Amino acid sequence: DLPRFFTPSVLSLPQRKSDFVSLTKNLTEVFLQSTDDKVLQNTAFSLSFLCKDDHARTMEAKTSVKKTLCELRDRILFHLSTSPDNETDNEQDELDTPIRKSPRRKGLPMSLEPLISDSEDCISTAHNSKELDKEYALCFNLKRIGTLGKRFYLSDYMDNGDDENEHVELLCNYISDGLSHRLRTYNAKKEESDDNETSDSVTEASIWESQDTRLPKMTARVVYEGLQFLLSVAVWRVKMIQEENRLIVEEDELMIVSQPNEQDKNSELEVGDDVIRLRDRLIALVELCFEQHLITNDDEEEEDLYSPAQREWSESIQEIGGLIASDLRSLFIKEWSNADSAFLRAAAIKEDSRLIGGYVRYFLSREMEMLRNNEHLENEDVTSARALLLPMGRSIASNWKLGNRREAGHVLAHITGSGSTASEVVDALSRLLKKVEPVRLLEAHMASLRLCYDAW
């Protein structure tokens, strides 16, 4: 970390230039070698602080960040391009970047999402598998570039190409294709195959026939970090377009609005084309996550069709999909469909039934274990209760004026009988929804009663 009262201007003197260059070099080396969440976040904050335009060494700091981003991009492209059966190798030439293999990193961060945690045994023998090594390196390089992507928009520092937004979009396309390939390859559903088996089906069989579950766990990490990176790029682009077109107005700001003509609306929409494409890619990836759902076996005497590793993969990927779906619905809210801005109308997720249905299906498959059991536990599982309720509650609150009553009914059903944590979350959500649309909340309670009666 930088000192609390560090002032970059003290390094503006010519004799201090070497000290500043040494400082940025050490920060970038730490960032490229670390896998710890806290270290990455603090280092990214320090680099973004040094890049602010308020001292004479800003260009040196931006150059250092640019080199770091290019290094991370090269590593990610290398590990994606060496994936078996990857159909997106031709995009490598379009990016026109030198590819350098990243060194092997040891040790996992102490703080990762609990839904995709690994055991120490899985880490200690990671070098035994080249495929696992590749996924391991890809995961943490995605994590590093995603950490920087949450601090500033990457196009301000990415090189190669006159249209910087197009270059970032191409990188996002490459990453999303790699994630899509992994989700399709690891789909554990047993479906009837034709006589002519494809290479994907052979790969799928070989993955799940192995007793080693480390590779699916690490691939789940890759999917999570990749989706987080794509989402951060989408957030920055939406923010930039809203500011450029003055679509955000403060409460105390008096604004005289003139009616835009058709030419202004079309130009505004063209500016956000890349956002719409990225949004559609994210939705497609989330839907692939929800397709990993496996039917539960109610008969304990009957042999389960799926292995414990397949079920663990299915639950992890669906939870990841639920988190990203909630963020997407909170970012591209349905209410934008009635906005005057052409970009907001186009960006709004008007048809979210598949996103809602996918997470509700996962929610129902896990509510008994993660919520209802808390009522009978002496020490309830607070983390599980929040992990299941908060994503759905956030997306409901963001879209409540046009919200789905049945979706809200599933959450409202846990106002009692699921532990104190669930009751607090649902109670807080109810108070918020009542302020926005009280009549719709009453209808949601009626839907909750019907759902509980049907399941009784």
Side-chain angles (χ1 to χ4, degrees), residues 209-271:
E209 285 176 2
S210 173
Q211 299 298 320
D212 190 353
T213 62
R214 296 170 299 161
L215 185 56
K217 288 180 180 179
M218 187 53 67
T219 303
R221 288 175 177 269
V222 170
V223 173
Y224 176 75
E225 298 298 343
L227 289 174
Q228 285 287 326
F229 169 74
L230 297 176
L231 184 64
S232 67
V233 173
V235 171
W236 276 108
R237 283 294 292 142
V238 170
K239 177 180 181 294
M240 292 171 61
I241 293 174
Q242 287 179 328
E243 291 177 348
E244 290 170 0
N245 295 277
R246 298 201 69 188
L247 302 179
I248 301 177
V249 182
E250 301 294 339
E251 292 183 0
D252 57 349
E253 181 180 352
L254 180 62
M255 187 174 179
I256 301 176
V257 181
S258 59
Q259 294 295 330
N261 54 40
E262 290 299 323
Q263 183 177 358
D264 293 336
K265 291 183 177 181
N266 292 335
S267 61
E268 178 186 322
L269 185 57
E270 290 175 0
V271 170

Side-chain angles (χ1 to χ4, degrees), residues 321-334:
L323 292 172
I324 303 301
S326 175
D327 291 335
L328 281 173
R329 294 177 61 203
S330 300
L331 177 61
F332 303 102
I333 58 176
K334 188 181 292 188

Side-chain angles (χ1 to χ4, degrees), residues 113-361:
E113 293 295 329
L115 62 120
I116 48 176
S117 61
D118 282 304
S119 64
E120 294 181 358
D121 294 337
C122 296
I123 306 164
S124 60
T125 57
H127 61 278
N128 293 336
S129 169
K130 291 183 179 180
E131 186 71 16
L132 183 60
D133 252 0
K134 179 176 63 64
E135 294 292 277
Y136 179 77
L138 175 60
C139 170
F140 287 106
N141 285 318
L142 285 172
K143 187 179 190 65
R144 293 180 186 112
I145 198 171
T147 303
L148 285 176
K150 292 175 182 177
R151 283 291 172 186
F152 40 72
Y153 186 48
L154 301 184
S155 70
D156 297 336
Y157 300 89
M158 297 283 272
D159 60 350
N160 293 349
D162 298 332
D163 191 340
E164 292 175 336
N165 289 332
E166 182 179 355
H167 187 69
V168 173
E169 183 183 9
L170 189 58
L171 176 62
C172 290
N173 293 346
Y174 202 89
I175 292 174
S176 64
D177 287 342
L179 300 183
S180 176
H181 170 77
R182 283 160 174 78
L183 289 170
R184 295 180 188 279
T185 301
Y186 282 84
N187 195 325
K189 286 185 178 179
K190 293 183 179 296
E191 299 177 345
E192 295 183 1
S193 58
D194 299 332
D195 294 335
N196 298 326
E197 295 183 351
T198 63
S199 59
D200 283 344
S201 62
V202 174
T203 304
E204 176 186 336
S206 62
I207 290 172
W208 296 119
E209 285 176 2
S210 173
Q211 299 298 320
D212 190 353
T213 62
R214 296 170 299 161
L215 185 56
K217 288 180 180 179
M218 187 53 67
T219 303
R221 288 175 177 269
V222 170
V223 173
Y224 176 75
E225 298 298 343
L227 289 174
Q228 285 287 326
F229 169 74
L230 297 176
L231 184 64
S232 67
V233 173
V235 171
W236 276 108
R237 283 294 292 142
V238 170
K239 177 180 181 294
M240 292 171 61
I241 293 174
Q242 287 179 328
E243 291 177 348
E244 290 170 0
N245 295 277
R246 298 201 69 188
L247 302 179
I248 301 177
V249 182
E250 301 294 339
E251 292 183 0
D252 57 349
E253 181 180 352
L254 180 62
M255 187 174 179
I256 301 176
V257 181
S258 59
Q259 294 295 330
N261 54 40
E262 290 299 323
Q263 183 177 358
D264 293 336
K265 291 183 177 181
N266 292 335
S267 61
E268 178 186 322
L269 185 57
E270 290 175 0
V271 170
D273 279 348
D274 58 323
V275 181
I276 308 301
R277 290 191 292 268
L278 183 55
R279 180 207 62 183
D280 292 341
R281 279 183 171 270
L282 278 165
I283 292 176
L285 289 171
V286 170
E287 291 177 355
L288 281 176
C289 290
F290 289 141
E291 287 180 9
Q292 309 295 319
H293 176 76
L294 302 178
I295 300 175
T296 56
N297 187 11
D298 298 329
D299 190 353
E300 297 181 356
E301 297 181 358
E302 186 178 350
E303 183 181 358
D304 195 351
L305 294 175
Y306 305 100
S307 66
Q310 288 175 313
R311 293 206 173 273
E312 183 180 357
W313 159 266
S314 171
E315 293 170 1
S316 298
I317 289 298
Q318 287 182 88
E319 187 165 357
I320 293 170
L323 292 172
I324 303 301
S326 175
D327 291 335
L328 281 173
R329 294 177 61 203
S330 300
L331 177 61
F332 303 102
I333 58 176
K334 188 181 292 188
E335 193 177 352
W336 282 358
S337 58
N338 299 323
D340 182 67
S341 166
F343 166 72
L344 294 182
R345 290 198 306 272
I349 300 181
K350 305 178 186 67
E351 181 55 48
D352 56 359
S353 58
R354 291 174 65 88
L355 297 180
I356 294 174
Y359 191 71
V360 167
R361 181 175 59 183

Side-chain angles (χ1 to χ4, degrees), residues 359-427:
Y359 191 71
V360 167
R361 181 175 59 183
Y362 168 74
F363 183 90
L364 295 176
S365 68
R366 301 287 291 163
E367 65 175 347
M368 187 60 66
E369 178 183 349
M370 299 176 65
L371 291 174
R372 293 304 186 189
N373 286 346
N374 284 334
E375 187 73 7
H376 311 291
L377 296 177
E378 184 176 349
N379 297 318
E380 64 176 283
D381 190 349
V382 176
T383 303
S384 297
R386 290 177 177 174
L388 198 60
L389 286 172
L390 289 179
M392 188 182 293
R394 187 169 66 249
S395 55
I396 291 172
S398 302
N399 297 273
W400 187 235
K401 286 189 176 181
L402 301 173
N404 188 297
R405 300 171 183 83
R406 287 178 61 86
E407 179 191 19
H410 287 293
V411 177
L412 295 173
H414 292 277
I415 196 169
T416 183
S418 298
S420 60
T421 301
S423 298
E424 292 173 1
V425 172
V426 177
D427 183 57

